[in-house]
Amino acid sequence: MGDSRTDSLLEWHAKALELFGERVHAVREDQWGAPTPCTEWNVRDLVNHVTGEQLWIPPLLTEGRTVEDVGDALSGDLLGEDPVDAWDRAAAAARAAFVAPGALDRTVKLSYGPALGSAYCSELTADCVVHTWDLSRGIGADDRLPDDLVEFTIKEVMPYADGLAAGGLFAPPVEVPPGADAQTRLLGMVGRAR
């Protein structure tokens, strides 16, 4: 029997993957080139990015490899002819890696240094939640995110929110009105405006 924090983290991770996956499955053939709130990425680029993040998990977490070991094997187009299938396979592999016994207690060698598997899982869960909003906007789907995932992501992002824009991964924070709901506050933190 796992502890409740571990179980909750794995549930949030599964829910974030499922949510993003629902949006991937909703992409129409004529939408892969559509713009997203990530100004550098169209829908296909965004899905490729999140798929790539999932593909990194097994070599880093399960195999104990480093970013240098993997090199550029996970660069470029990872979606091929069937982006939906590519996402489904990557998400399943990521999920299997994180639910493996002891996975969240392992040390993972990330580009910025060593981290616990649980911290890696939290970071990727939050990233998947934010990118679900991006993808929803890109394809014109409902962009409301589940409240529990929004709260989880705020707690994950808050400690390093000020440095996100400096790292080039997110736009500078956007000021939100006083009394804004949790999702609006989260979007402001990661440089998205409604």
Side-chain angles (χ1 to χ4, degrees):
M1 192 88 175
D3 69 66
S4 61
R5 178 157 168 28
T6 296
D7 291 345
S8 294
L9 176 54
L10 291 173
E11 285 169 23
W12 283 320
H13 178 253
K15 193 170 179 178
L17 288 177
E18 182 181 346
L19 194 64
F20 190 82
E22 287 170 2
R23 298 306 187 276
V24 172
H25 280 261
V27 178
R28 294 190 320 261
E29 206 51 51
D30 63 341
Q31 292 181 313
W32 289 104
T36 71
C38 302
T39 55
E40 304 291 313
W41 292 335
N42 63 24
V43 166
R44 185 181 174 95
D45 297 331
L46 175 64
V47 173
N48 190 66
H49 165 72
V50 182
T51 299
E53 287 190 323
Q54 309 319 307
L55 291 173
W56 275 96
I57 297 167
L60 296 181
L61 184 67
T62 308
E63 300 165 23
R65 295 167 72 191
T66 65
V67 172
E68 292 76 23
D69 293 337
V70 177
D72 62 2
L74 296 174
S75 298
D77 178 27
L78 303 169
L79 300 181
E81 295 296 314
D82 190 344
V84 175
D85 182 61
W87 162 258
D88 287 345
R89 285 185 287 108
R95 180 84 184 128
F98 276 128
V99 300
L104 297 181
D105 297 321
R106 289 186 199 130
T107 298
V108 186
K109 297 172 192 93
L110 301 175
S111 58
Y112 54 79
L116 275 178
S118 56
Y120 186 36
C121 185
S122 294
E123 179 184 318
L124 290 182
T125 299
D127 195 66
C128 199
V129 170
V130 172
H131 286 318
T132 296
W133 184 84
D134 294 329
L135 183 54
S136 299
R137 298 292 281 210
I139 64 171
D142 179 8
D143 66 5
R144 282 304 307 166
L145 301 168
D147 291 343
D148 58 345
L149 280 177
V150 169
E151 292 295 342
F152 171 86
T153 304
I154 287 173
K155 286 179 190 155
E156 171 63 20
V157 171
M158 187 85 69
Y160 52 85
D162 291 343
L164 290 174
L169 296 176
F170 291 100
V174 175
E175 197 169 322
V176 299
D181 67 15
Q183 179 167 319
T184 303
R185 286 187 284 117
L186 171 62
L187 295 173
M189 266 195 278
V190 295
R192 271 88 169 152
R194 267 197 151 308

